[in-house]
Amino acid sequence: MKSIEEINAKIREGSVCVVTAKEMKEIVTEMGTKKAAKEVDVVTTGTFGAMCSTGVFINFGHADPPIKFKRVWLNDVEAYTGMAAVDIFLGATKISETREFYGGAHVIEELVFGKEVEMRAIGFGTDCYPRKEILTSISLQDVNQAVMVNPRNAYQRYRAATNSSERILRTYMGTLLPNYGNVTFAGTGEISPMNNDPEFRTIGIGTRIFLCGARGYIIGEGTQHSPPFGTLMVKGNLKEMKPDFLKACYFPGYAPSIFLGIGIPIPVLDDEIAKATGIKDDEIKTTIIDFGVPRRDRPTVREVSYAELKSGKVEINGQDVRVSPLSSYYIAEKVMKELKKMIEKGEFFLSMPVERVKRNEIFKPMKQREIRIVREFMTKAVTINEDLSIEDAAMLMIQKNVNHLPVVDKEKVLKGIVTSWDIAKAITVGARRVEEVMTRDVVTVFPDEPIAIAISKLEKYDISALPVIDNKKRVLGIVTSETISKMLGV
Amino acid sequence: MLLLLRFDSKTVREPIISMTSIKTGTPINILKADVGARRGEIIVEVPEERAKEVEKILIEMEVEVQEITKTIARNDNCVHCGLCISICPTEVFRLNGENKVEMKTEKCIHCGACIKVCPTMALYFPI
């Protein structure tokens, strides 16, 4: 048993034994937990990944005459101003109003690099803050405080992503190729901070951490914290951060984001902590989920360990699928080594939490007023066979007063669709049977999908109806933009 | 060796790749083909030692031949995350022993898929 005071005394004397989490795995395997607990004082953990829930509070000081910000932009990226006169919060994923592939993350990066950014603001014009606009350039040296405060960072583990659909998906998990073409995953597994202290004995409120090269602090559990998918809320001084441990990025089709380097030192107080820091990738499990289904609860494709993910290939439906990480182990290792060096040099002391974070919490879904599903909007489909003549199809449309005829086989399985437009086309090209003019690649929906999904499909493909099918592709009905408009009153 | 072949409205209709393969007795691997009605572009891979002979035959058949020497390149923005690894069709990228993303540029077929996915815009084709 060691106390944090004893460890800090050793740091002061220069006799502390610090190892990285990567080194600790070998030490625990070789020596066993008892001996490892005795020999090692501190284990440094690290991660370096895109962390969207990141931002910076900045206070600019007062202009003359003074202004209370109504709206403010840094390099044309808008920041939040609903606080005191010249306090703002700039979020990492906010998109620039004028520049492509540029956002809050890039402004934060430029500031850390020591560059100037343009600040433009409009004010309310009050008796106490009469000024109505200002345009100036600022760097980190010019502002009073620039404090990074991140609601959710350093995910303990994360669900890996794949895509069963037939189109490329551009997501915050990177580009996902069709038909399970690849898998992407985030997190550094066995060297990631929370995996090395899963009971949150030393990682808690008030713990001093390495945040992008600066000394930072944990200020609470992160939003959506739900161990073993734990998260942390952290803060640190942007003015002390180093460009090596922070990188702005942009995920095509999604938004800007920012790679952050976070390191947490774990004091090895007893055998139990030594054992926890010996954890290996094959013991850390997550799931691969399917982004091809655009729902909140995406289906799980399979369970997987970080060891399998890091091997570069995982098996899905009997096929080897290639895997891409989203976090950089290379820089995560640099974080662990840098933190180790800081502790050895006596520049970084450890602290115990003043309060522990919750070890069991549930991540609730959003409370919605109602979720209306496709089934409510579905009407009876008038179906036909593919050998029907154009004349008969035209007649049927008039008789039944419909514009869409799903084409089915004997088992009611969807084969295509014919619209009144197709009938017009058939006449101009002299087609005789519906199979000659029908659309074979039909966009469909399932009855229990939210109506919002049907609406986005109608808009995306610029069509006016979707056959509703079951999982055997049998036609159950049809949902048309006309019915949706009528029922939603838009 | 990778060769970029440009076909005009005449040559695009001929079975040039098979004829070249038969004439030279060399296997020709088609990596990327973009063939239209009036023109076409194909990237092929041929064994290094037979490249000159293959090029000669292709030029005789009036195909424009260009050796691909400038492949994918990378700037300092790279953070070695590895997102490019599973996107590349020819496995140009892999993590090395240091966990850095290593590039086998000789395998690059100029498809540009990695450029579009790189979150730090670190990848580009040199002009």
Side-chain angles (χ1 to χ4, degrees):
Chain A
M1 284 285 277
K2 271 176 256 174
S3 72
I4 205 93
E5 290 76 22
E6 282 163 5
I7 292 172
N8 280 338
K10 282 187 175 178
I11 296 175
R12 219 166 282 122
E13 287 165 17
S15 64
V16 69
C17 173
V18 190
V19 301
T20 67
K22 197 179 171 191
E23 293 162 342
M24 188 63 172
K25 316 293 163 196
E26 288 164 31
I27 294 170
V28 171
T29 311
E30 274 172 35
M31 294 186 179
T33 51
K34 275 211 166 65
K35 206 153 171 226
K38 220 172 137 200
E39 296 285 322
V40 180
D41 300 313
V42 183
V43 176
T44 61
T45 60
T47 187
F48 186 84
M51 305 193 198
C52 296
S53 216
T54 291
V56 181
F57 280 106
I58 302 175
N59 176 283
F60 296 93
H62 290 296
D64 185 25
I67 184 168
K68 176 172 179 356
F69 293 152
K70 190 176 187 183
R71 296 180 74 185
V72 64
W73 294 262
L74 294 176
N75 281 357
D76 290 340
V77 180
E78 190 167 11
Y80 180 74
T81 59
M83 298 166 287
V86 288
D87 280 336
I88 67 153
F89 186 75
L90 174 69
T93 70
K94 189 75 178 177
I95 296 167
S96 157
E97 291 175 7
T98 52
R99 247 170 95 177
E100 228 187 340
F101 314 122
Y102 189 93
H106 299 83
V107 176
I108 295 168
E109 183 185 64
E110 294 209 40
L111 288 169
V112 171
F113 270 77
K115 290 186 192 158
E116 279 198 336
V117 299
E118 185 193 84
M119 192 260 268
R120 176 165 59 88
I122 52 173
F124 289 97
T126 64
D127 290 344
C128 43
Y129 295 106
R131 190 173 193 129
K132 284 192 143 173
E133 55 182 31
I134 194 159
L135 178 67
T136 181
S137 296
I138 59 112
S139 74
L140 276 188
Q141 284 182 322
D142 305 319
V143 301
N144 291 309
Q145 286 78 22
V147 187
M148 183 182 271
V149 177
N150 306 337
R152 176 166 78 256
N153 278 176
Y155 254 106
Q156 186 174 5
R157 60 190 79 176
Y158 209 84
R159 286 174 185 87
T162 191
N163 170 18
S164 69
S165 81
E166 282 168 18
R167 64 183 191 95
I168 288 185
L169 299 177
R170 311 252 178 216
T171 74
Y172 63 83
M173 291 297 285
T175 298
L176 299 172
L177 303 175
N179 306 313
Y180 305 107
N182 65 341
V183 168
T184 63
F185 76 103
T188 50
E190 65 184 20
I191 60 169
S192 185
M194 279 174 272
N195 286 328
N196 286 274
D197 182 15
E199 292 300 314
F200 298 94
R201 289 182 57 201
T202 70
I203 296 178
I205 300 168
T207 304
R208 190 178 291 120
I209 62 166
F210 174 103
L211 184 58
C212 307
R215 266 181 297 267
Y217 296 90
I218 294 170
I219 54 175
E221 65 206 34
T223 53
Q224 297 183 16
H225 175 72
S226 178
F229 295 86
T231 72
L232 297 173
M233 194 177 288
V234 303
K235 66 155 273 191
N237 189 350
L238 196 71
K239 293 187 180 190
E240 292 168 9
M241 291 184 185
K242 300 192 177 84
D244 287 359
F245 299 106
L246 171 151
K247 181 84 204 158
C249 61
Y250 188 91
F251 287 95
Y254 167 63
S257 188
I258 193 162
F259 281 96
L260 301 181
I262 297 183
I264 302 186
I266 315 262
V268 185
L269 303 173
D270 51 34
D271 295 356
E272 204 185 305
I273 291 181
K275 187 171 173 232
T277 53
I279 192 169
K280 294 203 176 137
D281 282 328
D282 55 11
E283 302 165 59
I284 304 171
K285 300 274 196 285
T286 185
T287 51
I288 301 175
I289 55 169
D290 180 7
F291 275 66
V293 178
R295 298 291 301 274
R296 180 186 62 219
D297 301 317
R298 298 190 167 102
T300 296
V301 176
R302 56 164 287 194
E303 197 186 58
V304 70
S305 74
Y306 270 78
E308 287 172 274
L309 290 167
K310 286 189 187 178
S311 77
K313 280 199 173 94
V314 295
E315 202 187 291
I316 295 177
N317 301 335
Q319 300 268 339
D320 268 350
V321 179
R322 284 196 290 153
V323 182
S324 275
L326 275 160
S327 304
S328 170
Y329 317 139
Y330 172 68
I331 301 184
E333 276 175 35
K334 258 171 75 169
V335 167
M336 294 193 293
K337 286 179 193 157
E338 181 71 19
L339 179 56
K340 176 179 168 176
K341 213 170 19 175
M342 285 163 84
I343 297 169
E344 282 171 344
K345 280 194 191 151
E347 294 168 359
F348 192 109
F349 289 90
L350 271 57
S351 66
M352 280 303 275
V354 292
E355 212 164 287
R356 289 173 76 174
V357 297
K358 292 194 185 118
R359 268 145 292 153
N360 38 35
E361 187 143 44
I362 294 158
F363 170 31
K364 289 187 295 192
M366 186 186 287
K367 179 189 167 201
Q368 283 167 271
R369 285 200 175 145
E370 57 176 338
I371 301 176
R372 302 194 73 174
I373 58 168
V374 167
R375 195 189 302 277
E376 298 173 53
F377 296 80
M378 190 171 88
T379 50
K380 201 167 172 284
V382 181
T383 59
I384 54 171
N385 295 331
E386 57 189 350
D387 53 4
L388 194 73
S389 71
I390 296 294
E391 289 77 13
D392 289 347
M395 194 75 83
L396 205 56
M397 280 182 177
I398 300 294
Q399 278 172 358
K400 303 273 182 186
N401 191 26
V402 292
N403 285 311
H404 301 84
L405 300 172
V407 183
V408 296
D409 66 10
K410 277 186 216 119
E411 273 78 48
K412 281 243 163 203
V413 172
L414 184 68
K415 291 284 152 198
I417 192 164
V418 173
T419 66
S420 43
W421 171 254
D422 293 325
I423 299 292
K425 193 172 71 187
I427 290 165
T428 59
V429 301
R432 305 172 70 96
R433 289 182 192 286
V434 295
E435 64 181 339
E436 295 167 55
V437 292
M438 72 181 188
T439 301
R440 286 166 201 274
D441 204 3
V442 191
V443 185
T444 58
V445 280
F446 293 112
D448 54 353
E449 285 190 286
I451 195 65
I453 290 191
I455 295 170
S456 70
K457 281 186 178 175
L458 290 167
E459 283 169 358
K460 180 160 181 255
Y461 296 99
D462 194 19
I463 50 181
S464 52
L466 300 163
V468 183
I469 57 166
D470 65 10
N471 50 19
K472 291 200 170 107
K473 237 187 145 183
R474 286 178 302 219
V475 176
L476 303 171
I478 193 160
V479 53
T480 68
S481 47
E482 213 182 330
T483 317
I484 295 172
S485 307
K486 245 186 244 162
M487 286 179 63
L488 292 179
V490 289
Chain B
M1 165 81 71
L2 299 185
L3 303 175
L4 169 65
L5 314 181
R6 286 205 182 87
F7 298 81
D8 61 16
S9 57
K10 182 170 150 274
T11 50
V12 79
R13 286 180 299 180
E14 309 287 328
I16 295 222
I17 304 284
S18 333
M19 277 155 64
T20 311
S21 197
I22 292 164
K23 274 191 194 170
T24 59
T26 306
I28 299 177
N29 188 15
I30 300 174
L31 298 177
K32 189 179 164 195
D34 178 14
V35 181
R38 310 202 49 81
R39 49 170 294 284
E41 265 190 22
I42 294 181
I43 294 176
V44 295
E45 185 183 22
V46 292
E48 207 72 41
E49 65 279 6
R50 312 299 295 267
K52 288 288 162 231
E53 196 187 341
V54 170
E55 280 181 47
K56 192 172 147 255
I57 300 281
L58 285 164
I59 292 164
E60 275 172 21
M61 289 193 277
E62 292 173 44
V63 174
E64 196 187 317
V65 181
Q66 193 186 319
E67 290 183 0
I68 297 180
T69 48
K70 282 182 180 163
T71 52
I72 194 76
R74 174 168 63 175
N75 62 31
D76 291 344
N77 279 337
C78 178
V79 294
H80 303 278
C81 69
L83 197 50
C84 47
I85 293 172
S86 71
I87 297 294
C88 173
T90 56
E91 306 195 18
V92 165
F93 308 96
R94 67 176 200 102
L95 286 180
N96 68 12
E98 257 187 295
N99 279 326
K100 276 178 140 177
V101 175
E102 196 175 75
M103 305 201 297
K104 283 213 164 84
T105 53
E106 65 275 15
K107 288 180 166 184
C108 175
I109 55 162
H110 274 224
C111 71
C114 57
I115 296 177
K116 278 180 256 165
V117 309
C118 176
T120 59
M121 294 178 196
L123 296 166
Y124 63 100
F125 287 127
I127 304 155

